[in-house]
Amino acid sequence: MAVTDAAIDKIKEMIVSGELAPGDRLPKEADLAERLGLSRNSLREAVRALSLINVLDVRQGDGTYVTSLEPRLLLDTMSFVLDLHRDDTVIQFFEVRRILEPAATALATELMSDEEVEELRVILESLPAEPTVEELVANDLRFHQRIAQGSGNSVLCSFIESLSGPTTRARIWRGLTQEGAMDKTREQHTAIYEAIAARQPDVARSWATVHVAGVESWLRKALELD
């Protein structure tokens, strides 16, 4: 593993230094191994590891390329890791959401175009009058995803989207067990949208905080953590 780690570090250094840019093709395996002072087996292991985290793209019959290295692509690996979380850590995910989502909402309030705000309204109004819990949660995910995208920060958006999966089960649980949860979600989404449409970042940030904190508070009580 130490030899493979060294090989990974050397390829990483080529990318960080700019010697290899996004989209570039790596030199032939034999040439690159000789140049880096590695065995071909160590180089293959390094390439395999870097392809698993979307840094390299191995194309059969064509060669190995550096990916776009876009945040969404690189952070996709984090989504896999987060999916392995235990139920007793879900509160921590909500704590992180409570930090990130209000910030993203405030940014979106200032940066979203009128057309993007209209898209948010369409998402809000697409929720049926009497939705199922699954429809409510799906709409909730779309609503917050659109706001995160509107923040204009692809890293922040990717982090928020990665956090959506681990908290979905808790949202469904709340919808099934807490009286008035559906109405409360709809009301808070409406308040967030109206603040965004009115270009009031501080108000939008506050409502986003209330929205996420409400679910977190309910979950703490449900798990008897308070």
Side-chain angles (χ1 to χ4, degrees):
M1 287 301 299
V3 176
T4 301
D5 288 345
I8 290 173
D9 286 341
K10 289 182 178 181
I11 296 174
K12 175 185 172 183
E13 178 57 32
M14 293 177 71
I15 296 172
V16 172
S17 68
E19 186 175 351
L20 285 174
D24 281 357
R25 179 177 176 174
L26 269 65
K28 292 182 179 180
E29 181 182 273
D31 295 339
L32 184 58
E34 181 179 357
R35 176 180 167 186
L36 297 179
L38 301 167
S39 70
R40 294 178 70 169
N41 281 339
S42 296
L43 180 59
R44 287 188 196 120
E45 289 299 321
V47 168
R48 185 176 296 113
L50 290 171
S51 67
L52 287 173
I53 58 172
N54 297 327
V55 172
L56 298 179
D57 178 20
V58 180
R59 305 175 189 175
Q60 294 299 326
D62 186 16
T64 299
Y65 293 78
V66 180
T67 66
S68 66
L69 301 179
E70 293 179 355
R72 180 185 298 273
L73 184 65
L74 297 180
L75 289 173
D76 188 52
T77 306
M78 187 175 73
S79 297
F80 175 80
V81 175
L82 293 180
D83 284 341
L84 300 178
H85 79 285
R86 304 185 311 275
D87 285 345
D88 60 359
T89 65
V90 70
I91 285 291
Q92 296 176 26
F93 288 110
F94 273 105
E95 289 173 344
V96 176
R97 280 190 62 203
R98 178 162 42 84
I99 295 169
L100 297 183
E101 289 204 21
T105 303
L107 283 172
T109 303
E110 298 176 323
L111 297 176
M112 288 177 77
S113 66
D114 291 342
E115 291 75 15
E116 290 170 333
V117 174
E118 174 63 17
E119 289 176 17
L120 191 62
R121 183 191 65 79
V122 170
I123 292 172
L124 182 66
E125 295 184 354
S126 67
L127 186 66
E130 296 183 7
T132 64
V133 172
E134 290 76 13
E135 288 173 331
L136 179 71
V137 172
N139 185 269
D140 181 76
L141 292 173
R142 287 178 60 210
F143 183 80
H144 290 290
Q145 182 182 50
R146 189 66 196 84
I147 292 174
Q149 291 169 347
S151 72
N153 187 313
S154 59
V155 175
L156 180 58
C157 180
S158 295
F159 272 120
I160 289 174
E161 289 185 3
S162 296
L163 291 168
S164 295
T167 59
T168 297
R169 189 176 351 181
R171 299 185 204 189
I172 293 175
W173 181 20
R174 182 194 187 211
L176 289 170
T177 61
Q178 185 182 34
E179 184 177 354
M182 290 190 182
D183 291 338
K184 187 172 294 186
T185 296
R186 194 192 296 269
E187 290 169 4
Q188 291 172 354
H189 279 188
T190 299
I192 293 170
Y193 161 73
E194 290 177 348
I196 291 175
R199 305 299 182 180
Q200 298 176 312
D202 289 340
V203 177
R205 183 199 301 270
S206 297
W207 273 113
T209 302
V210 167
H211 182 55
V212 178
V215 184
E216 179 189 338
S217 177
W218 166 83
L219 186 60
R220 285 183 183 278
K221 292 176 181 177
L223 295 176
E224 298 181 344
L225 294 177
D226 278 341

